[in-house]
Amino acid sequence: MTPAPPGLSVPMPVVDIDLAEPGAFRRPGGRMRIGPSGRALGLVRLHGRPLGMAEASGRGPGELWQALADAALRDFPGAEAAPGAGGAADPGPRAVPAVAASDPGAGGLPAAASSPGPRSRTGVAPAPEISVIVATRNRVGMLRDCLDSLLALTYPRFEVIVVDNAPADGSTEELIRREYDPLPDGDGTVRKRRPVVRYLREPVPGLARAHNRGLAAARGRIAAFTDDDTLVDPGWLTALAAPFLADARTGCVTGLIVPAELDTEAQVALERHGAFAKGYAPRTWSLRVPPADPLFPFTAGRFGSGANMAFRTDLLRELGGFDPATGVGTPAHGGDDLLSFFRVLARGRFLAYEPAAIVWHRHRRTPEALEAQAFGYGAGFGAYLAGALVHEPRMLPALLRRLPGGVRYAMARSRQRAGRDTGPGAGAGAGPAAGPEAESDAGAGAAARAAASRIARLELRGLLYGPFGYLRSRRDERRLRRRAAHGSGARTRPGPQRRGGRR
């Protein structure tokens, strides 16, 4: 039951464990308990707080759980506080505030000491209403799973807005009307399910346009966004709301994204490449107190990803929403999330990363889809940089000062990812191996390294294309506005339609 060294090489189940609940496994994104065995990748928590991802093997559920726990105790700071770990005394749950009632029938969150907002008589700040916006296109099965996870959220005040982006048929609308609309009781009155799920249609292709359609209809003080290929953790909105309540200067909050499944070689390759990883420590960024990073604030990809982000609704509307020339579904391929992060900082607001706000993402399952996604990652970053100069031209001198270092960083990052696991033991299984199993692991490791190298090259190629894609997309936007002004319709040439093609 020796934990495997870092470096995924083969498909395996993904599980969720908490060191405060010995022996218990849960499926990603839910409360259903399972009893896995063999090799698995696990999100390891302590009192609900994520510590990291560990890979281990065990002949039965008990042995596998202990192997994952041992890996966490060895590798993850803070795991030694787990009950029975033999380390520091257990301090109890860490402070991601739990939702509490601030008045009859309403929920609230404990207010931070520095929060300037008013407190109720019970000493808690009322939980702000949140609008959760999910853009989708022709993925009814995944959307249903996503919505079911949203309906299981513990947060007390939220709505869900589904935006159907340039759909090929009416299947998504039919799903919402059939399974998620308010249901009539036997006496004819309407029994509203909590939360309300609303359906909107955006006929023009583009993720940014779909998000803007949802933003315009949002009723909440906070607008949260996730994708239709995700499962959200039950405490997702509670954790996202906490930094907003703690500091009125916070304009955007992002969260942790972890894999929901690793069933195919393509999914393993993306996770091995770095996927959506942003770390397990809370962070806050601001132009007033810049970090040591010499490329800040242009490395917006480090701040978070569009599948797990939230904004103050009024601030995002003041910024004009998301730039419709960016995003999946346009020639830019992405960059809508990164550009919005950058503009929040440029406006003088804070951006917070809260890893306790967990979203489980279902990576692309085929090599072809993975390659398109990798190119889209790079293109989206290049498009974001071009968009940053269009929207914030005063930042041009700062970008020019950082450009040489940024090019070196991009090249080094590409080389690092291409050869991340080429050292001794790369792709090996747990412990010393020999025979056919070792040969199988070695072959899988070699294939994974080849895939990582190709992904890195595609990302770099996309980065070089990105500014041109953004300019092409802006040209399409101008044509669309002219057609709309002359009443000649509202469609433009559709771009790539894969969802989730960003990090």
Side-chain angles (χ1 to χ4, degrees), residues 71-470:
L73 291 170
R74 183 187 66 237
D75 298 332
F76 302 155
E80 68 279 358
D90 179 12
R94 290 179 59 188
V96 168
V99 175
S102 58
D103 54 59
L109 298 173
S114 60
S115 174
R119 292 174 180 249
S120 72
R121 287 176 296 177
T122 57
V124 296
E129 183 174 0
I130 299 179
S131 295
V132 179
I133 299 167
V134 182
T136 188
R137 185 178 189 271
N138 302 337
R139 298 205 298 199
V140 172
M142 283 190 171
L143 176 64
R144 178 188 286 110
D145 294 340
C146 176
L147 291 177
D148 288 345
S149 72
L150 286 168
L151 291 176
L153 285 167
T154 58
Y155 194 79
R157 302 175 60 200
F158 70 101
E159 64 173 352
V160 178
I161 301 173
V162 175
V163 184
D164 203 2
N165 188 207
D169 54 40
S171 57
T172 297
E173 183 174 12
E174 180 183 347
L175 170 73
I176 302 302
R177 305 299 185 208
R178 183 180 68 247
E179 299 187 23
Y180 299 99
D181 257 2
L183 302 174
D185 278 336
D187 60 1
T189 60
V190 173
R191 181 178 75 252
K192 292 184 178 180
R193 71 164 57 233
R194 189 178 77 76
V196 172
V197 178
R198 302 160 61 195
Y199 172 87
L200 299 173
R201 184 188 292 254
E202 170 51 56
V204 180
L207 184 58
R209 278 191 168 273
H211 281 168
N212 287 341
R213 180 74 175 91
L215 177 65
R219 299 166 181 160
R221 289 169 49 199
I222 296 171
F225 298 85
T226 193
D227 291 342
D228 60 359
D229 56 358
T230 67
L231 305 169
V232 302
D233 218 51
W236 176 54
L237 287 185
T238 301
L240 277 182
F244 289 112
L245 289 172
D247 196 323
R249 296 169 295 180
T250 299
C252 175
V253 178
T254 64
L256 175 66
I257 302 176
V258 291
E261 60 185 27
L262 293 175
D263 296 340
T264 71
E265 296 288 352
Q267 291 177 322
V268 171
L270 180 60
E271 189 62 25
R272 187 185 182 95
H273 189 63
F276 298 85
K278 301 293 184 287
Y280 296 85
R283 295 194 63 186
T284 300
W285 293 273
S286 167
L287 291 180
R288 301 177 189 179
V289 187
D293 179 3
L295 301 180
F296 177 83
F298 297 99
T299 49
R302 297 181 181 179
F303 305 150
S305 302
N308 189 358
M309 61 182 180
F311 300 82
R312 294 192 188 273
T313 304
D314 56 355
L315 173 62
L316 189 55
R317 286 172 175 164
E318 288 173 10
L319 294 174
F322 299 92
D323 184 342
T326 59
V328 177
T330 72
H333 289 268
D336 50 319
D337 47 355
L338 307 184
L339 182 55
S340 296
F341 300 157
F342 176 82
R343 297 193 66 202
V344 166
L345 290 170
R347 184 59 65 96
R349 306 298 286 271
F350 289 9
L351 191 154
Y353 171 69
E354 176 47 75
I358 302 169
V359 161
W360 303 79
H361 183 261
R362 288 171 283 192
H363 299 342
R364 293 290 172 264
R365 298 180 66 88
T366 66
E368 296 77 16
L370 173 61
E371 290 180 0
Q373 190 175 31
F375 180 85
Y377 286 162
F381 189 79
Y384 141 67
L385 289 175
L389 296 182
V390 169
H391 289 278
E392 305 291 344
R394 62 188 176 86
M395 300 294 286
L396 177 60
L399 176 60
L400 292 177
R401 288 195 300 271
R402 292 163 173 80
L403 191 58
V407 171
R408 289 193 298 270
Y409 166 78
M411 297 293 291
R413 180 171 174 267
S414 179
R415 288 193 297 268
Q416 177 190 20
R417 286 185 160 185
R420 170 176 290 174
D421 301 298
T422 56
E437 184 176 352
E439 293 178 5
S440 175
D441 279 351
R449 290 191 295 274
S453 178
R454 177 159 179 77
I455 291 171
R457 291 194 301 270
L458 286 168
E459 270 197 321
L460 187 57
R461 189 183 306 170
L463 176 63
L464 298 175
Y465 161 84
F468 300 99
Y470 178 72

Side-chain angles (χ1 to χ4, degrees), residues 16 26-32 45 149 152 231-234 260 360:
D16 184 6
R26 289 184 173 83
R27 293 186 187 278
R31 300 183 177 131
M32 183 181 297
R45 315 187 196 214
S149 72
L231 305 169
V232 302
D233 218 51
W360 303 79

